Structure formats: structure tokens, C-alpha cells
Amino acid sequence: MGPAHGTDAAHTTNATQDSTDVGETAALSISPELPRPVWAMAVRYTLFLLERRAPGPGVEVRVAPWGAIKILDGPASDPHNLTPPDVIELEPDVWLRLAAGITTWAQEKNAGHITAVGERDDLSDLLPL
């Protein structure tokens, strides 16, 4: 176990980390070319599945321009503005990657692809669908 062995181990660790970063970057960039009606149907259907999995009025999940649902138990909307205390907004491609399990909530959140306001701003326990 000379210094060369330690260097090889460090090189292997760095190479593994680099390939993981490349894979994560590739996963975060998946956005297929689909007709608008297909995008809309996929977003609406997966939001429907999420709503069935975790019904309730406490968190609003918005995937503009095709859908918004309220999920999870908790305080209902403020009667003046109809917005619950927790709101999560995602782009359609981000939402579909999460719903399909291509990426994780942490990956998308760290990449800045998720806007979330409120205490319950993490849907990782409910995804993938």
C-alpha cells in the first residue's frame, strides 16, 4: 500500500463522482419534444394521480399552464385569496421528470427548478408516482 495505491483510489473516487455529476446533469436536462396536447395530458394525469395519493386542502401544486391541485391535510385556503399557506410551482418538464422518477426532489430543488413557499415544501415522500 504505497502512495501510488492511495492516488489510484483518489482518482477512482473522483472519476466516479464525475460520472455521477454527468448522469445527474443529463437527467435534469431531459425534456422530450412532445406536442402540446400530449404535455397537457401527461401533466394533468400525473397531477390527478398525486391528488388521489394525498388528498387534502393544505398544499397547492401548480404546473403551469396545465394544472393545479390541492393535496395533503392541513389548513385550507385563506377565504380572501383562495391560496393555501403552502404553494409549490414547477415547470411541466420538471414535474414529469419527478413523477416518472427520472430525477429526485432534492436534485430538482438544488438545481433551482422548484419554487416552494410554506412549511411543507417537499413532496419527495409522494414521488415518483
Side-chain angles (χ1 to χ4, degrees):
M1 291 212 169
H5 179 66
T7 303
D8 290 342
H11 178 71
T12 302
T13 302
N14 289 340
T16 303
Q17 181 65 34
D18 290 344
S19 67
T20 302
D21 290 345
V22 169
E24 185 174 315
T25 301
L28 289 169
S29 66
I30 292 174
S31 182
E33 294 291 326
L34 298 172
R36 282 183 59 86
V38 174
W39 276 106
M41 179 190 63
V43 167
R44 289 176 182 144
Y45 183 67
T46 52
L47 285 173
F48 167 78
L49 294 175
L50 179 63
E51 189 175 32
R52 299 276 302 201
R53 181 176 277 185
V59 177
E60 186 166 288
V61 180
R62 300 174 182 167
V63 183
W66 292 303
I69 59 169
K70 292 181 183 174
I71 61 169
L72 299 173
D73 289 328
S77 302
D78 177 336
H80 298 290
N81 66 11
L82 302 179
T83 301
D86 299 302
V87 177
I88 298 170
E89 295 181 357
L90 308 111
E91 294 292 323
D93 57 333
V94 173
W95 169 246
L96 292 177
R97 285 193 302 264
L98 289 165
I102 295 169
T103 56
T104 66
W105 190 265
Q107 288 171 319
E108 295 288 359
K109 184 83 170 170
N110 291 339
H113 297 160
I114 297 172
T115 302
V117 177
E119 293 177 11
R120 292 176 294 170
D121 63 350
D122 185 342
L123 300 180
S124 58
D125 290 342
L126 299 171
L127 298 168
L129 297 173

